[in-house]
Amino acid sequence: DSGTATHVGNLNVTKYGSHGCNSSSCGYIFPGYSSGYISSIDRIIFPFDSGTATHVGNLNWSRSDIATFNSTNYGFGCGGGFFHSDAFSFIERITFPFDSGTATHVGNLSRTNYLFSGTDGVDFVTMFV
């Protein structure tokens, strides 16, 4: 109801412009910027009480400010780009559990996008009926 978040761990590299998604057991932190644009995907396993996120794979293209969202079986990273420069339309997908490898390029957005967000469309009421 109130209070301050507790620091429980770190990413394996300092970065900004990164976004995340989750499976039922893990959180995934998509790329961003850290002394240059990166493609690394990091993972934490729930509950995450202490430690450092683990680098588990990469996107095909380095960039920051990617819109991320997930379904039950997949995590997606879309668009993104370079600060005040090129934007991309790529849609890349990871399959849960994502323990290693490179995301799969599965399509493109209808136009390039940068600095936007994604959301999940889960209807919890119908999931349990």
Side-chain angles (χ1 to χ4, degrees):
D1 292 335
S2 65
T4 303
T6 303
H7 177 257
V8 295
N10 296 303
L11 297 175
N12 64 6
V13 63
T14 301
K15 56 184 169 180
Y16 70 87
S18 58
H19 297 235
C21 67
N22 64 280
S23 69
S24 60
S25 61
C26 299
Y28 295 90
I29 302 94
F30 277 65
Y33 185 88
S34 177
S35 302
Y37 294 93
I38 56 177
S39 64
S40 64
I41 300 170
D42 301 329
R43 180 188 69 201
I44 60 172
I45 298 173
F46 301 139
F48 187 72
D49 297 323
S50 66
T52 302
T54 303
H55 174 241
V56 293
N58 295 294
L59 292 180
N60 290 281
W61 297 276
S62 298
R63 57 201 195 271
S64 71
D65 297 300
I66 299 165
T68 56
F69 50 92
N70 55 271
S71 68
T72 303
N73 299 313
Y74 305 105
F76 295 88
C78 303
F82 306 128
F83 188 67
H84 294 296
S85 185
D86 295 328
F88 297 98
S89 64
F90 309 130
I91 301 171
E92 296 187 67
R93 181 181 74 198
I94 60 174
T95 302
F96 300 138
F98 185 69
D99 298 323
S100 66
T102 302
T104 303
H105 178 239
V106 294
N108 293 297
L109 300 169
S110 59
R111 65 182 184 96
T112 60
N113 259 317
Y114 179 74
L115 288 174
F116 69 118
S117 62
T119 187
D120 302 329
V122 177
D123 179 359
F124 290 102
V125 173
T126 58
M127 285 181 64
F128 300 108
V129 174

